[in-house]
Amino acid sequence: MEGTAAVNLAPGDNSTAALDVERVRRDFPILQETVYDRPLVYFDNAASVQKPRQVIEAMSEAYETYYANVHRGVHHMSQRSTEVFEAGREKVARFLNAPSPDQIVLTRGTTESINLVAASYGRAFLEEGDEVILSVMEHHSNIVPWQLLRDELGIVIKVAPIDDQANFLLDDFAELLSPRTKLVAITHISNALGTVVPIEAVVRLAHEAGAVVLVDGAQAVAHMEIDVQALDVDFYAFSSHKLYGPTGIGGLYGKAELLERMPPYQGGGEMIDVVTFEKTTYKEPPHRFEAGTPAIVEGIGLGAAIDYVSALGRETIAAHESGLTEYAGERLSSVEGLKLHSRAKERASIMAFEMAGAHPHDIGTIVDRAGVAIRAGHHCAQPVMERFGVSATARASFGLYNTREEIDVLVDALGRVKEIFG
Ligand code: 7TS
């Protein structure tokens, strides 16, 4: 069936769905490409995932048949663009189980969502001496906005640790909480290690201390079921491009009572109610935080990506990826001289490793010759690199279209790294 996602129900069991990977792979045109005459093995999914044709086609269709600016025109095309764009927001709300689409601010992505909270909520409600808790695993985009606020307001940043196996230490986190803690900004899944943070417990403890919680969901949205109400998070940030959608768009979920109290952080068209030179009044959320023409077609693409992922089912995707992660764990530990950093008990499909004698960039270059795309570097998480005493690691990260055979290709290529550097 054209346009439907590839799920096979196991015979006689309607509750277990297994992912039909071969069929899913046919949805992704780029997977037909070759690199140095080898089939592309794309293991850089934590940086950005590839796009199914359903997303590409939804975006082309918008440009070819109904594109116009949104929220402004009475004409047909503008109304149709607005409808499909706003349907994207509704899909995000359903996908995260937000009570209302009005609680979804569309942004450029996770980075902009976190900066929005720092610039609006932070400036309005934090003051000198107030404490913000981060974890040592944060991506730079969940560190630097708080440092900018520290420079401006004199807030204090505290850092929750992990152990040598990369497990998040909940008890140590609890000890950092104090009556001065106003905000906890924490990743759901570490992009550098794959560690899954126990968000429900973090939120419970933070709320008991009177702090609000912002979760960086950049690495989580495509890999697990997210229910912002069940998690009871105050803010949840994500990027479309890690969710099989286009770049340039993402979102911020916020609790209604918080968004309503927050002042605008950027001024322009779309976010105002009435403007005079004396005084301007602002729209209600989410539009109050969306100054200027939004990423219209990207929003439409994001809606198509959510349809795609939802049709496959996040539980089905998670089961497939957890099988891959387990297999990769076994295969990688058989490679002589390889040290795995991703060893937390609760972890997602991200495998960070080092190899004795070989710089991660050399590993990346050698496996690239075999068609395998992995990432080498500090993964925009320099503090956690320092925690492990390294400046860089190699990282293979899996998405819904990856297979065990592809992991075998990586492991063979790592054998060549060993031959050269071992
Ligand atoms: N937070 C986490 C946990 C991330 O993994 C990333 C991007 C971001 C925030 C920023 O997202 P953006 O879409 O606003 O840029 N992570 C990565 C990565 O691991 N390699 O490249 C980008």
Side-chain angles (χ1 to χ4, degrees):
M1 266 185 297
E2 229 16 55
T4 50
V7 177
N8 277 345
L9 289 178
D13 181 359
N14 290 332
S15 63
T16 10
L19 199 67
D20 183 345
V21 185
E22 282 318 310
R23 207 167 127 199
V24 161
R25 289 177 67 82
R26 288 198 290 274
D27 289 335
F28 290 81
I30 206 168
L31 298 179
Q32 309 305 316
E33 294 294 310
T34 54
V35 176
Y36 304 112
D37 292 329
R38 309 290 183 94
L40 168 66
V41 173
Y42 188 77
F43 282 165
D44 196 14
N45 294 288
S48 200
V49 297
Q50 300 297 346
K51 317 303 170 197
R53 64 184 163 70
Q54 287 86 341
V55 169
I56 300 167
E57 285 168 8
M59 295 177 74
S60 304
E61 189 198 355
Y63 277 126
E64 287 175 10
T65 65
Y66 63 89
Y67 174 79
N69 209 334
V70 290
H71 304 141
R72 295 169 193 216
V74 291
H75 62 81
H76 176 81
M77 291 307 183
S78 176
Q79 286 184 1
R80 173 124 176 77
S81 282
T82 305
E83 241 168 61
V84 187
F85 175 74
E86 286 299 329
R89 190 192 309 273
E90 284 162 25
K91 287 173 190 179
V92 172
R94 276 199 298 278
F95 193 69
L96 300 178
N97 194 31
S100 155
D102 292 343
Q103 288 172 254
I104 305 296
V105 183
L106 294 172
T107 64
R108 278 195 299 128
T110 309
T111 302
E112 191 170 82
S113 295
I114 297 170
N115 277 277
L116 189 171
V117 175
S120 170
Y121 184 88
R123 279 202 198 121
F125 301 113
L126 300 189
E127 53 188 43
E128 192 177 347
D130 283 347
E131 293 170 1
V132 172
I133 302 179
L134 315 176
S135 87
V136 70
M137 296 180 286
E138 298 313 313
H139 187 279
H140 297 162
S141 66
N142 197 26
I143 299 174
V144 185
W146 307 110
Q147 291 176 324
L148 293 173
L149 206 61
R150 178 174 66 187
D151 296 345
E152 201 179 311
L153 301 179
I155 59 166
V156 175
I157 294 174
K158 289 180 160 184
V159 183
I162 54 174
D163 67 15
D164 291 342
Q165 270 67 50
N167 293 298
F168 180 75
L169 297 168
L170 190 64
D171 292 345
D172 295 51
F173 163 76
E175 275 174 29
L176 292 177
L177 289 161
S178 85
R180 296 240 60 172
T181 312
K182 291 289 154 58
L183 193 132
V184 173
I186 197 150
T187 194
H188 202 159
I189 295 178
S190 153
N191 69 313
L193 295 164
T195 301
V196 181
V197 173
I199 292 299
E200 261 175 294
V202 165
V203 168
R204 189 170 28 78
L205 291 165
H207 283 174
E208 277 166 23
V212 300
V213 181
L214 173 144
V215 175
D216 170 351
Q219 294 295 340
V221 273
H223 304 287
M224 61 201 284
E225 203 80 55
I226 310 290
D227 181 335
V228 290
Q229 294 188 74
L231 292 172
D232 198 23
V233 293
D234 300 289
F235 298 106
Y236 199 94
F238 77 97
S239 300
S240 144
H241 70 96
K242 296 188 203 279
L243 182 57
Y244 304 93
T247 53
I249 192 147
L252 175 73
Y253 157 80
K255 281 194 177 155
E257 67 268 26
L258 295 176
L259 291 176
E260 278 157 18
R261 282 164 53 214
M262 282 161 58
Y265 81 120
Q266 285 181 350
E270 294 284 325
M271 50 77 73
I272 54 85
D273 188 15
V274 179
V275 179
T276 65
F277 279 109
E278 289 68 42
K279 183 176 161 51
T280 290
T281 52
Y282 309 116
K283 281 206 176 115
E284 293 297 312
H287 298 290
R288 185 187 299 165
F289 306 106
E290 296 179 357
T293 298
I296 300 165
V297 176
E298 288 75 6
I300 291 167
L302 168 58
I306 288 177
D307 286 344
Y308 185 80
V309 169
S310 305
L312 291 177
R314 272 174 291 177
E315 271 185 39
T316 304
I317 295 169
H320 173 69
E321 291 175 351
S322 113
L324 289 177
T325 308
E326 201 176 310
Y327 183 70
E330 283 161 23
R331 293 296 327 265
L332 289 175
S333 39
S334 72
V335 177
E336 221 188 300
L338 186 146
K339 182 178 169 203
L340 198 60
H341 285 276
S342 302
R343 286 181 291 158
K345 280 194 214 86
E346 295 297 328
R347 63 189 164 89
S349 55
I350 293 175
M351 306 297 258
F353 58 92
E354 284 182 88
M355 283 179 79
H359 190 279
H361 285 124
D362 294 326
I363 301 175
T365 306
I366 292 168
V367 304
D368 181 50
R369 284 280 158 180
V372 185
I374 63 166
R375 179 146 295 229
H378 54 60
H379 316 296
C380 295
Q382 283 177 354
V384 82
M385 296 292 126
E386 201 184 314
R387 163 69 180 77
F388 284 103
V390 295
S391 60
T393 62
R395 180 185 73 182
S397 50
F398 313 125
L400 58 85
Y401 38 62
N402 289 128
T403 65
R404 290 178 183 221
E405 291 71 32
E406 290 181 314
I407 291 169
D408 294 338
V409 176
L410 169 66
V411 170
D412 285 350
L414 292 175
R416 272 190 292 290
V417 175
K418 172 89 186 110
E419 274 165 33
I420 298 168
F421 291 95

